[in-house]
Amino acid sequence: MVDETRSGGETARRFLRFLPAVVWLIGLGVLALRVPEARVGALVFTLVGLVAHLLLRGASRTQAVRSPGGRSRHAQPWPDGSVKSVVEAVREPALVIDRAQALRFANAAAHKAFGAMTLGDPIAMRFRAPELLAALERAMESGEAGAEELIERLPVDRSWGIDILPLRMAGREAPTFFLLLFRDHTQARRLERMRTDFVANASHELRTPLASLTGFIETLKGPAREDAAARARFLDIMQDQARRMSRLIDDLLSLSRIETRRRLRSDETVDLADILRAVAQQLGPLAAEGGIAVELAGLDGEAVFVNGDRDELIQVFANLLENACKYGGEGGRVVVGIRTEGDTAEAFVRDFGKGIAPQHVPRLTERFYRVEDGAPAKSGTGLGLSIVRNVLIRHRTRLSIVSKPGEGATFSVVFPARNPEA
């Protein structure tokens, strides 16, 4: 748009330069028609005027193009076509600005990332970041490349690394334009925050049982040295805390191992119905201790084959069944089953306990997240559903949670069914 405006302005200036000559020629023509005796003189004056105009125009152009030092005296205000072609080919957002920090070109990736930008406007109208503008000033003063970080909060939270690269035109010592190359660091920053939060949460979870063990050891060495009943009670608590630490470390190692193995081989086929029967048999004694009946639904028919890793899927449904017994045991029973429809198979675990409040459901698969409902804390690590989520990501599916307070909760996973002979 700006190039078209510039072209139109240049045409208007050329017309204005030729306007006096056109008016003069029209006047001589009218004079020749009205006064026949003046035709020869008008023709001579016309030829002389044209020659003089061409000579003066050529001298003016030569003077404008070359200065006494042999270099161009007027800077080219726009990057040439080759520069634009190269910048347009860059996959990352890229902008070209001049020494006045005005936008001269933006590639398609920049328009997609930052929206519509008007060529010729100051760059500060789009990026209101004093650090970036200061970095541009330093690069323009030194003529050397620079770098800066840009964090945008609106319309979404994004983090950019910006390379400021000088573009030197032929025959010029100082760079005429500067290329701003944007690299999206948003995902890297998000992962860094996740790692930081994970380390902080893991440290907190480990610190609690460690503090408990330390306190009981000091008590046993001091006031309870000769108290046999207190010693037995404290040793039981210490054993529970040590087991909690062991479970937490096992879950952390399991989560780390799963996250490093994101791919699942296409030739891995398992019987989903057999997995659910094995899980129900494995955790049957635990459910019986809590007075909970484990019921099977849809597992007495044919095998249901899906693409999956047997050990990992056993871990998934063992976690779900254990949670159902632990947190939904008030209902007295848990249903484990399969529903098939078309080319899909849905495996589910349903409890009939007090259910989960809606505000907690979206966060249940976060690491170390626990529902605080005033009930006595259960002995979980807060990593079980996070492990489930990561295993299912590897299996290219996800966990669905449906719950209403007072009506229990259903945890289900949908798999594409497959023919093992295919």
Side-chain angles (χ1 to χ4, degrees), residues 136-270:
L136 289 175
E137 291 287 352
R138 291 193 298 270
M140 290 176 182
E141 290 177 2
S142 64
E144 301 296 332
E148 188 57 51
E149 293 284 335
L150 174 66
I151 298 177
E152 291 189 313
R153 301 300 183 188
L154 295 173
V156 295
D157 191 359
R158 293 186 299 183
S159 178
W160 300 95
I162 306 175
D163 293 327
I164 306 171
L165 308 173
L167 301 179
R168 290 180 170 81
M169 301 294 103
R172 292 183 176 274
E173 294 180 0
T176 308
F177 304 105
F178 290 83
L179 174 66
L180 305 186
L181 185 60
F182 291 75
R183 303 185 187 277
D184 193 351
H185 293 168
T186 305
Q187 186 64 18
R189 299 297 184 194
R190 185 177 295 119
L191 291 175
E192 182 63 30
R193 286 197 298 269
M194 289 176 60
R195 283 193 292 268
T196 303
D197 294 343
F198 175 73
V199 171
N201 290 329
S203 300
H204 172 75
E205 294 293 330
L206 287 170
R207 187 180 296 114
T208 301
L210 278 175
S212 178
L213 287 173
T214 303
F216 284 122
I217 290 173
E218 291 176 352
T219 303
L220 289 173
K221 293 174 65 177
R225 181 189 299 272
E226 306 299 334
D227 190 339
R231 183 166 61 249
R233 186 174 69 255
F234 291 164
L235 287 175
D236 289 339
I237 297 174
M238 292 170 64
Q239 186 178 36
D240 289 340
Q241 294 297 322
R243 287 173 178 169
R244 179 184 175 188
M245 289 180 60
S246 178
R247 288 194 304 270
L248 179 60
I249 293 172
D250 289 342
D251 284 348
L252 288 172
L253 292 175
S254 177
L255 186 60
S256 176
R257 183 176 62 256
I258 292 168
E259 288 181 337
T260 58
R261 294 189 301 155
R262 289 289 186 177
R263 287 194 173 186
L264 183 72
R265 296 199 314 271
S266 60
D267 60 346
E268 293 183 86
T269 304
V270 294

Side-chain angles (χ1 to χ4, degrees), residues 273-303:
D274 182 61
I275 287 176
L276 293 180
R277 286 192 293 266
V279 168
Q281 183 178 7
Q282 174 185 338
L283 295 181
L286 174 65
E289 288 180 7
I292 302 169
V294 178
E295 302 175 5
L296 304 182
L299 299 179
D300 53 355
E302 298 180 354

Side-chain angles (χ1 to χ4, degrees), residues 17-18 20-21 24 47-59:
R17 285 200 299 268
F18 280 103
W24 185 30
L47 293 174
V48 172
L50 288 174
V51 172
H53 177 75
L54 292 174
L55 291 174
L56 290 174
R57 188 164 176 264

Side-chain angles (χ1 to χ4, degrees), residues 116-129:
M117 294 178 287
T118 303
L119 301 184
D121 283 350
I123 198 72
M125 293 184 64
R126 173 57 182 83
F127 302 101
R128 303 181 184 277

